[in-house]
Amino acid sequence: MAHDVVADPETDPTATYAVDPALVRRLARRVVAAPRAGHHVSHTPLTGAPLGSLPMSTREDVAVAVDAARAAQREWARTPMELRERIFLRYHDLVLERQVELLDIVQLESGKTRRQAFEEVADVAIVARHYARSAAAYLRPRRRAGLFPVLTQSTVHHHPHGVVGIVSPWNYPLSLAITDAIPALMAGNAVVLRPDLQASLTALRAVQLLTEAGLPESVLQVVLGDGPTVGQAVVDLADYVCYTGSTDTGRRVATSVAGRLVGYSLELGGKNSMYVAEDADLDKAVEGAVRACFSSAGQLCISIERLLVHGAVADEFTRRFVAAVEEMSLGAELAYGTDMGSLVSAQQLERVSAHVEDARDKGARVLTGGRARPDVGPYFYEPTVLDGVTAAMTLRDEETFGPVVAIYRVHSDEEAIRFANDTDYGLNAAVYTRDVARGRRIATAIKAGTVNINEGYAAAWGSVAAPMGGMKQSGVGRRHGSEGILKYTESQNVTAQLLLPIAPVAGMSEETYTRLMTAALRVLKSVGRA
């Protein structure tokens, strides 16, 4: 496996690292990596400066990490729930207390603005608090109706899988590295985490805080490396796999784990729509659309890439929306006040540019934006609004994953629903209307795992007691709520039969037994038994 060849940041007089090399060294101690594997230097998309040099893991290192996690999991599973709760409530506090440092690293690795980086800090704190307070209730043994009242007593138990492998992406380096690990750990599993190389420092700092909160180090192992080698090794060796990323890679993950009959959850791509009905409050709709389309420079799986606007208000909404987008500020500052940050890489910039140019070449109108901004930073691209997009254009159906949105005019709720559902994806959607009951009717007809009413994405995302995930090609399984922790467990039915067997008693003929069972089944139906 090839890696960047770099000089020691402490002895190379030409190296200027954006993160203190001493901090990087401390964080690197958590990486399971043999000295022979080499190092990788990541760079901040904000300026292109190097961030830090981190050791790389090999496939053999992943096997070591999984073995160590499996050994530690046995003791962790016996840890009282009250102690797990205290650890994650302490973690909630530490994340909020140390947020300035976390915000800096999130911004440096992802390129997003400080306010959008704070979404990740808040998300981690909310998820930690929720599962600390709710995991015991989600996991407690539950009595279920047995075959016969009183005589048959069934109880459902939830046991941890063992070692959960988490392969997390670069776009939300704090949230997506840690919020999937929290319920896995609360359920009694150990975790082997492989964050994206562009998100490694954030993930390692978050893991360090978990150790400070009291989590045993061996229970959460970290490996670093590329997807095809190290990520694949995690997929091949873990007892359950949680993957967030592209749909194409998600299919390969599913194929890999299916051969081992191992469970998995996938949150994948999206082509998300926002419908602005004719009765919408346009001030709120415009403000919400700006956030929904351009948060994290559009590098958010649940961001909006299609604006479906009712014809009765389309001209007015478009005028206000374009004006608001043109007022947005771009910047690379590690401070509040900037509206949009950078794309994460040259690859993302190339993809966004290609989608916009393809649409422009085929007749779409660029209402604002539509160009890179190297004067601000190497991967900055203006927030872009298009009109006249057709099915012949790539960005009509493919996920752009950048600060680009197309406006489409519709003339009824039914047309909006058809358009929102006219995609292979089904991750997130939004509806703006003053009539919330109407909004709920529209929302339930849209085939998406989350639908927000009078908000773009944050309402459903932040409501962590409710499930979040994708339909169709947007994924399998859910995070958050009961589903987000029960997926990390195996359900077990333990049933005790009392007094009488489910069989003929001594001296009873099979014919008599059959008649008695038939009568009993009819009685159970008549009394409403499920």
Side-chain angles (χ1 to χ4, degrees):
M1 183 165 57
H3 302 290
D4 298 341
V5 178
V6 295
D8 184 335
E10 294 191 348
T11 60
D12 180 4
T14 67
T16 302
Y17 284 76
V19 178
D20 180 4
L23 172 62
V24 175
R25 277 200 316 277
R26 290 196 300 273
L27 297 179
R29 296 186 189 123
R30 288 304 303 268
V31 181
V32 180
R36 67 185 182 280
H39 286 70
H40 170 81
V41 175
S42 61
H43 296 75
T44 174
L46 293 174
T47 64
L51 286 172
S53 176
L54 286 169
M56 294 292 96
S57 307
T58 64
R59 187 176 179 89
E60 291 73 24
D61 294 324
V62 176
V64 170
V66 170
D67 288 345
R70 185 162 286 121
Q73 187 270 334
R74 300 183 188 101
E75 180 64 28
W76 175 247
R78 292 192 290 268
T79 301
M81 183 60 75
E82 293 80 3
L83 177 56
R84 296 183 219 171
E85 292 170 1
R86 288 199 295 272
I87 290 170
F88 283 99
L89 288 174
R90 174 61 177 151
Y91 187 59
H92 168 281
D93 295 343
L94 285 173
V95 167
L96 295 179
E97 290 169 10
R98 310 288 175 81
Q99 67 176 273
V100 172
E101 180 187 347
L102 287 170
L103 291 170
D104 285 350
I105 299 177
V106 169
Q107 283 195 268
L108 287 168
E109 288 201 312
S110 69
K112 65 184 62 180
T113 68
R114 203 162 191 81
R115 177 170 59 83
Q116 288 148 16
F118 179 74
E119 288 184 344
E120 299 201 48
V121 170
D123 183 44
V124 171
I126 291 166
V127 171
R129 184 192 71 221
H130 175 74
Y131 283 112
R133 293 269 166 80
S134 303
Y138 289 144
L139 298 170
R140 73 172 184 268
R142 282 180 165 79
R143 290 286 296 273
R144 293 289 185 255
L147 176 58
F148 292 116
V150 180
L151 300 180
T152 312
Q153 298 180 353
S154 292
T155 305
V156 177
H157 300 266
H158 297 285
H159 301 290
H161 286 293
V163 176
V164 171
I166 296 176
V167 179
S168 62
W170 48 261
N171 60 317
Y172 270 65
L174 179 60
S175 284
L176 295 178
I178 295 301
T179 58
D180 287 318
I182 290 170
L185 292 163
M186 283 297 299
N189 297 282
V191 168
V192 174
L193 169 66
R194 195 241 59 165
D196 189 274
L197 287 175
Q198 184 61 32
S200 300
L201 290 171
T202 303
L204 287 167
R205 184 65 181 107
V207 168
Q208 186 184 61
L209 286 180
L210 267 174
T211 302
E212 189 174 335
L215 185 75
E217 284 194 22
S218 52
V219 173
L220 176 50
Q221 305 279 331
V222 182
V223 292
L224 298 182
D226 64 19
T229 304
V230 175
Q232 185 63 48
V234 172
V235 170
D236 289 341
L237 297 174
D239 302 318
Y240 184 93
V241 174
C242 175
Y243 169 79
T244 303
S246 73
T247 296
D248 286 344
T249 302
R251 291 191 185 100
R252 292 194 291 273
V253 170
T255 299
S256 294
V257 296
R260 297 195 294 125
L261 300 181
V262 167
Y264 60 91
S265 60
L266 311 170
E267 186 185 292
L268 309 175
K271 194 67 179 179
N272 309 304
S273 297
M274 173 187 290
Y275 173 42
V276 180
E278 79 282 2
D279 69 337
D281 182 322
L282 292 188
D283 289 336
K284 292 180 179 178
V286 166
E287 186 274 335
V290 169
R291 283 188 292 108
C293 298
F294 303 119
S295 287
S296 298
Q299 298 168 121
L300 169 61
C301 296
I302 53 178
S303 68
I304 298 299
E305 295 192 6
R306 294 169 158 186
L307 283 172
L308 317 180
V309 187
H310 196 286
V313 295
D315 289 344
E316 179 66 12
F317 173 86
T318 301
R319 182 186 66 77
R320 294 193 198 185
F321 179 62
V322 169
V325 173
E326 289 177 342
E327 290 295 316
M328 292 178 67
S329 60
L330 306 182
E333 296 79 19
L334 300 185
Y336 290 101
T338 301
D339 294 319
M340 198 182 85
S342 174
L343 292 167
V344 78
S345 65
Q347 181 180 7
Q348 286 303 113
L349 177 60
E350 181 181 358
R351 179 181 180 87
V352 170
S353 298
H355 276 207
V356 173
E357 292 313 307
D358 172 76
R360 198 194 317 249
D361 291 345
K362 293 174 180 174
R365 290 187 303 129
V366 177
L367 302 183
T368 189
R371 63 191 180 107
R373 291 292 301 275
D375 56 308
V376 183
Y379 309 130
F380 278 79
Y381 195 92
E382 288 185 342
T384 299
V385 183
L386 300 175
D387 194 8
V389 170
T390 69
M393 303 169 189
T394 303
L395 67 76
R396 197 272 190 186
D397 295 312
E398 287 190 19
E399 184 179 35
T400 303
F401 217 61
V404 179
V405 65
I407 294 178
Y408 304 88
R409 286 160 176 77
V410 295
H411 298 89
S412 67
D413 295 350
E414 292 72 25
E415 185 181 357
I417 292 166
R418 285 195 301 272
F419 200 118
N421 288 335
D422 184 17
T423 170
D424 291 335
Y425 298 107
L427 189 56
N428 183 53
V431 178
Y432 271 78
T433 173
R434 296 177 193 269
D435 183 346
V436 174
R438 174 190 181 189
R440 292 185 186 277
R441 289 192 298 272
I442 296 167
T444 56
I446 295 175
K447 294 180 174 64
T450 54
V451 183
N452 298 260
I453 299 172
N454 295 326
E455 167 58 40
Y457 66 89
W461 179 30
S463 300
V464 299
M468 176 185 174
M471 299 180 182
K472 299 189 284 187
Q473 298 300 305
S474 288
V476 176
R478 296 292 184 266
R479 58 167 54 99
H480 296 170
S482 61
E483 294 173 61
I485 190 169
L486 293 180
K487 71 182 182 182
Y488 293 126
T489 67
E490 294 278 12
S491 299
Q492 181 187 43
N493 173 1
V494 176
T495 299
Q497 182 64 24
L498 307 180
L499 298 178
L500 297 174
I502 305 176
V505 296
M508 180 183 291
S509 70
E510 292 183 351
E511 290 81 357
T512 301
Y513 171 73
T514 300
R515 287 196 300 273
L516 289 174
M517 281 292 292
T518 300
L521 295 175
R522 286 172 172 157
V523 169
L524 291 173
K525 175 180 178 289
S526 69
V527 298
R529 181 78 169 182

